[in-house]
Amino acid sequence: DAKTTQPNSMESNEEEPVHLPCNHSTISGTDYIHWYRQLPSQGPEYVIHGLTSNVNNRMASLAIAEDRKSSTLILHRATLRDAAVYYCILKKIRNNAGNMLTFGGGTRLMVKP
Amino acid sequence: DAGVTQSPTHLIKTRGQQVTLRCSPKSGHDTVSWYQQALGQGPQFIFQYYEEEERQRGNFPDRFSGHQFPNYSSELNVNALLLGDSALYLCASRRRSTNEKLFFGSGTQLSVL
């Protein structure tokens, strides 16, 4: 399975944008790029996912490199509530890929007031 | 909508004992999966259930077993507990007919003494 590489930790100031990088140089054409985050004392929650084009939703934006070997999760204005571990995950397109997500260590985002 | 609910929230067991953890999926969801999260690490996939059968399994020994009931709720059973089984156990659900995101519960914290 293709793997992802993320920095262990990052720091941001409140109300500033945050760019969380993810490298996935061995990604295959059937892999979606998913991002989940895990707030303290909670289970992971879905943030965003994409295949080739950049994606936006109410939580974040996902910028995908043209060669798909890397991506960046963008939080436009970090709040204290965004302090969490962010996981970049590759998941096969086919529906019978089921519920199996392969989590790495993720990036721990710290937000300073 | 209650989301994914898990019980109990915390549990303390002794080595060699057996434990059963419970999960109710989000309303409308028919597939359930279980993850183990050791302290400081990302969640690791244990197995997935739908139509009351185990469909996909991660790299976990047979001591880990499960069940899904007709109402889609699920149990995770762990026999012959080891100290290394101490972890946060997470349940996740989704509707199988779609490729939508996974919803996670807040987990059961298991401590094995």
Side-chain angles (χ1 to χ4, degrees):
Chain A
D1 289 341
K3 292 187 177 179
T4 63
T5 303
Q6 299 177 252
N8 289 334
S9 63
M10 290 185 66
E11 213 170 72
S12 169
N13 293 318
E14 196 176 11
E15 298 194 0
E16 290 186 356
V18 181
H19 290 230
L20 297 164
C22 180
N23 287 320
H24 28 77
S25 58
T26 59
I27 191 171
S28 75
T30 57
D31 287 330
Y32 272 102
I33 302 159
H34 285 245
W35 285 81
Y36 281 74
R37 72 179 186 180
Q38 188 170 18
L39 302 170
S41 302
Q42 295 188 28
E45 67 172 340
Y46 168 85
V47 177
I48 200 166
H49 78 280
L51 184 61
T52 56
S53 304
N54 294 344
V55 184
N56 300 295
N57 67 21
R58 65 173 181 80
M59 288 181 72
S61 295
L62 177 60
I64 301 172
E66 198 169 329
D67 63 5
R68 299 210 324 128
K69 293 183 185 295
S70 66
S71 61
T72 302
L73 179 70
I74 303 165
L75 307 179
H76 296 285
R77 289 184 65 192
T79 68
L80 296 178
R81 206 190 156 276
D82 291 321
V85 179
Y86 287 78
Y87 296 100
C88 170
I89 300 164
L90 302 182
K91 190 175 187 297
K92 296 295 180 188
I93 290 174
R94 65 184 189 277
N95 193 44
N96 62 4
N99 294 1
M100 181 174 176
L101 297 177
T102 302
F103 288 81
T107 296
R108 180 173 297 279
L109 175 66
M110 292 166 281
V111 180
K112 296 184 294 183
Chain B
D1 184 0
V4 179
T5 58
Q6 294 186 240
S7 64
T9 55
H10 295 82
L11 202 51
I12 300 174
K13 289 287 188 179
T14 306
R15 272 183 306 172
Q17 286 188 314
Q18 178 262 346
V19 69
T20 298
L21 311 181
R22 295 177 175 80
C23 171
S24 292
K26 181 177 169 63
S27 178
H29 288 187
D30 54 1
T31 84
V32 172
S33 53
W34 289 89
Y35 287 77
Q36 179 195 66
Q37 186 172 25
L39 190 63
Q41 298 182 21
Q44 301 298 306
F45 176 79
I46 303 175
F47 43 52
Q48 174 190 355
Y49 277 81
Y50 61 84
E51 294 177 352
E52 302 178 44
E53 289 191 21
E54 181 182 304
R55 300 295 180 168
Q56 198 175 10
R57 190 178 184 93
N59 189 24
F60 279 81
D62 292 345
R63 298 186 298 108
F64 290 77
S65 64
H67 190 77
Q68 185 181 35
F69 299 93
N71 67 352
Y72 307 120
S73 67
S74 176
E75 288 181 350
L76 164 66
N77 300 294
V78 186
N79 293 324
L81 284 168
L82 304 174
L83 296 180
D85 295 330
S86 295
L88 180 67
Y89 289 85
L90 295 159
C91 174
S93 72
R94 73 176 177 101
R95 195 185 346 245
R96 189 168 77 88
S97 60
T98 71
N99 243 330
E100 66 179 34
K101 58 197 176 187
L102 280 182
F103 288 80
F104 283 83
S106 295
T108 294
Q109 184 66 54
L110 173 65
S111 298
V112 182
L113 305 179

